[in-house]
Amino acid sequence: MSWQGYVDDNLLGSGKISRAAILGQQGGFWASSQGYYPSPEEQHAVIDAYNNLEHIISSGLKLAGEKFFCLSANPRSIYLKSQTGGGAIVVKTKQAIIVAEYAAPVHSMEAISLVEGLADYLIAMSY
């Protein structure tokens, strides 16, 4: 499956994820949902977040112009909440970073299990 297929079929196709992107850990988009393009500064902040989790926990992240507050962060996953009731999940694999946003009424655990499941699959495939 192409990288775009993972975004379109596995994430957006679930009906649980509203916007998503797969970034390379070295930078750049591998795939994204239509119209979802975090700025180069936002992409750098996502990639750099794993080097300074304490900073992300205290300051959150901005994705495609929207501010998200950090609920929890670990060396693999960052869980974020927006003021609009939705949230985002950022998960690091061996080579990529999945960024996925969900909107209310989707519950965070529904979105988290979906994104973490895709990350597990990509890791198993050495990505």
Side-chain angles (χ1 to χ4, degrees):
M1 182 180 288
S2 72
W3 292 111
Q4 192 62 49
Y6 291 120
V7 169
D8 294 340
D9 300 337
N10 295 78
L11 298 174
L12 300 177
S14 72
K16 306 290 183 197
I17 302 299
S18 54
R19 306 188 311 171
I22 300 176
L23 308 174
Q25 286 189 26
Q26 304 304 314
F29 277 100
W30 290 8
S32 68
S33 54
Q34 187 172 3
Y36 186 61
Y37 301 106
S39 71
E41 295 81 17
E42 292 169 343
Q43 292 174 49
H44 179 71
V46 167
I47 294 165
D48 193 48
Y50 290 97
N51 297 322
N52 192 352
L53 291 174
E54 295 82 20
H55 176 71
I56 295 307
I57 290 168
S58 65
S59 65
L61 278 173
K62 198 173 194 181
L63 301 171
E66 184 176 355
K67 176 71 175 179
F68 289 85
F69 301 95
C70 185
L71 299 174
S72 176
N74 61 58
R76 174 186 153 121
S77 303
I78 300 170
Y79 306 108
L80 305 160
K81 184 81 171 161
S82 74
Q83 292 182 1
T84 61
I89 302 104
V90 180
V91 184
K92 184 177 176 182
T93 68
K94 291 181 180 181
Q95 298 179 40
I97 298 174
I98 303 168
V99 179
E101 293 185 28
Y102 61 93
V106 173
H107 294 284
S108 62
M109 290 311 295
E110 294 174 294
I112 289 169
S113 65
L114 185 72
V115 177
E116 295 278 358
L118 177 57
D120 289 341
Y121 172 78
L122 293 176
I123 290 167
M125 297 289 113
S126 295
Y127 288 108

